[in-house]
Amino acid sequence: MEITLVIVGGVIVITLIGVVGDLLGKSVKSRSGADPKALRDLSRRVEDLERLSLDREERIRRLEADVAFANKLLEDRSGKA
């Protein structure tokens, strides 16, 4: 009975070592596969796009305000005439 526990325990330990080693190996490969320069470039491009998007949203808000103001002026004149 004791020999069975030793054999099963050994198989389990060897399996766990293999699984842990495989996980560590894959995590190291996935980290080293990313080019830091490319990541910085993508990050910079995303920031530029976000800035451009915010700028365009602000322009749209100003245009909407200008159109609303012009509409109010036109409504006032048409109502008085």
Side-chain angles (χ1 to χ4, degrees):
M1 180 71 180
E2 294 169 358
I3 190 76
T4 306
L5 291 176
V6 170
I7 292 172
V8 171
V11 170
I12 291 173
V13 168
I14 290 173
T15 304
L16 288 176
I17 290 172
V19 169
V20 170
D22 187 46
L23 289 175
L24 290 175
K26 287 182 181 179
S27 67
V28 168
K29 284 182 184 178
S30 68
R31 286 185 196 148
S32 64
D35 183 21
K37 182 182 177 198
L39 288 176
R40 281 193 305 271
D41 186 42
L42 286 174
S43 175
R44 183 188 53 78
R45 290 176 62 190
V46 167
E47 289 173 1
D48 290 344
L49 288 172
E50 287 176 345
R51 193 175 319 114
L52 180 63
S53 174
L54 291 174
D55 182 46
R56 287 186 179 177
E57 286 178 13
E58 181 60 32
R59 287 182 187 179
I60 290 171
R61 281 191 207 108
R62 281 188 269 151
L63 285 173
E64 288 174 344
D66 290 346
V67 168
F69 178 73
N71 283 337
K72 287 180 184 177
L73 287 176
L74 290 174
E75 288 174 2
D76 289 341
R77 288 188 180 178
S78 64
K80 290 179 181 179

